[in-house]
Amino acid sequence: MTLDQLIALDAIVATGTFRAAAERLNKAQSAVSHQIRKLEAELGFDLFSRDTYRPSLTTEGEVFYRETNQVLEQVNRLKSVAARLRSEQEQMISVVMTATMSLDPILAVLGSVGRRFPETHIRVATEMMGGPVARLMEGEADLIIAGLEGVPFDEVETLPVDTIVIRPVASPDFPAAQRAGVCSRREMQTYMQVIVSGTGGQDFDQSRDLLAGGQRWTVSDFEAKKSVIKAGLGWGGIPEHLMQQEMANGELVPVTVEGYPPRHTEIFAIRRRDQPMGQVMSWLWAELQQARQLTSDPNSNR
């Protein structure tokens, strides 16, 4: 039994097919199949039932796979320990945040890391929609702060950070804002919905809160979206923290749309399990864990 065989088993279960597992592992499908056959021969039972197009775990395979998960988790932890022991400070840590999230909840943590590791360049970037997940899975980010839509859960580790609210709004002069009650979807289809384009590319494209059959304007960021909506040219959802002043002075007002209530989205710190953490990244992750514990229990002592 080898680690490569266990990794192949995990990849097949996670992706659903031998072919997809081979693509993930950058191996030939025949090589992955051979690894599983050798493992099954050693174990003395089949891991997969191959009666259907998609291989499914046998009863014995399910039990073995649960144990495999624990082994792979321990291997990843050992890799992180080894990386910390052999490494000096990382030259750079790349953090990518969803544009719907304020930087405020993690500023204290980033400041703590910056003071402890002044020689490490902390790079913070903002991406739209599926952009943070794309950057993480493409190896361009060490850590992302984002929602869980489109996240491959079997490949990442997460920590809760904050919750944001995205509320449909319009200018007070916009027709839909001037009537009482709930605006029907049919009525809203006659108005322009303003949306923000994603930066995740085709593989990590995300489309949220789109009104089917409606007219749309697409902009590049939330500031542009807010400007278009304030000008009375359309309606759309904006994170509450990005429009507090406009809501307070009446430049923007809530719009009640059928089937589109304010959306509460939990935001997480997310890292890849297969990427060992060096000194700085390990400290950053530990600080995020500590910050979450303090938020959950304000009476706890640090």
Side-chain angles (χ1 to χ4, degrees):
M1 185 184 307
T2 67
L3 179 59
D4 283 344
Q5 290 171 340
L6 299 183
I7 292 174
L9 169 62
D10 181 61
I12 295 165
V13 175
T15 61
T17 66
F18 280 77
R19 179 179 179 179
E23 290 176 352
R24 173 188 284 193
L25 299 174
N26 197 27
K27 292 183 177 181
Q29 182 175 338
S30 58
V32 173
S33 298
H34 180 67
Q35 286 181 316
I36 297 302
R37 284 197 299 270
K38 286 189 63 177
L39 179 58
E40 289 175 328
E42 180 179 348
L43 296 174
F45 54 82
D46 289 341
L47 292 167
F48 293 100
S49 171
R50 297 170 175 83
D51 296 334
T52 59
Y53 169 71
R54 287 186 174 274
S56 58
L57 288 169
T58 62
T59 302
E60 297 83 357
E62 290 179 353
V63 175
F64 186 81
Y65 178 63
R66 286 197 295 270
E67 297 298 322
T68 296
N69 271 335
Q70 296 184 29
V71 172
L72 294 180
E73 286 285 343
Q74 184 61 37
V75 168
N76 286 331
R77 285 195 291 270
L78 286 172
K79 288 181 179 179
S80 293
V81 170
R84 290 197 300 271
L85 292 174
R86 70 171 178 263
S87 72
E88 299 179 356
Q89 295 183 27
E90 296 96 315
Q91 293 184 349
M92 184 177 75
I93 293 293
S94 177
V95 179
V96 176
M97 299 187 60
T98 173
T100 58
M101 171 77 179
S102 168
L103 188 60
D104 292 345
I106 67 166
L107 276 177
V109 170
L110 293 179
S112 173
V113 174
R115 288 188 295 272
R116 184 173 180 86
F117 302 98
E119 296 179 1
T120 295
H121 176 199
I122 298 178
R123 180 180 180 272
V124 181
T126 299
E127 296 272 355
M128 302 292 173
M129 306 299 285
V133 180
R135 301 294 85 78
L136 180 69
M137 302 315 297
E138 291 167 358
E140 298 174 12
D142 301 294
L143 174 77
I144 64 172
I145 310 293
L148 295 179
E149 184 174 351
V151 172
F153 294 105
D154 59 305
E155 300 180 49
V156 302
E157 187 176 358
T158 65
L159 286 173
V161 172
D162 198 11
T163 299
I164 60 170
V165 179
I166 298 179
R167 186 177 299 277
V169 294
S171 162
D173 299 325
F174 197 70
Q178 295 180 331
R179 61 184 301 280
V182 178
C183 299
S184 69
R185 297 190 187 191
R186 185 177 298 274
E187 176 186 354
M188 296 306 292
Q189 286 175 342
T190 66
Y191 304 130
M192 196 70 66
Q193 183 181 11
V194 186
I195 64 173
V196 175
S197 60
T199 56
Q202 184 176 358
D203 292 339
F204 296 93
D205 187 29
Q206 294 179 7
S207 299
R208 302 177 189 149
D209 304 330
L210 296 182
L211 183 63
Q215 305 175 65
R216 296 172 191 159
W217 271 22
T218 301
V219 295
S220 62
D221 55 60
F222 278 106
E223 283 303 313
K225 182 174 185 176
K226 187 166 61 175
S227 296
V228 173
I229 294 175
K230 283 168 59 178
L233 300 178
W235 68 280
I238 298 178
E240 285 187 335
H241 70 274
L242 293 179
M243 57 177 182
Q244 290 177 343
Q245 181 176 341
E246 290 82 3
M247 293 287 285
N249 63 26
E251 290 182 277
L252 292 174
V253 296
V255 178
T256 305
V257 181
E258 176 191 4
Y260 289 80
R263 176 160 54 84
H264 294 71
T265 300
E266 192 165 6
I267 301 296
F268 292 80
I270 307 170
R271 60 170 294 270
R272 285 175 54 168
R273 295 180 185 272
D274 63 346
Q275 297 298 315
M277 295 189 289
Q279 290 184 18
V280 183
M281 186 60 194
S282 296
W283 181 270
L284 172 56
W285 193 254
E287 287 290 290
L288 287 169
Q289 289 177 314
Q290 184 68 36
R292 180 61 182 178
Q293 292 172 1
L294 291 174
T295 301
S296 303
D297 183 9
N299 296 321
S300 63
N301 295 320
R302 184 161 185 171

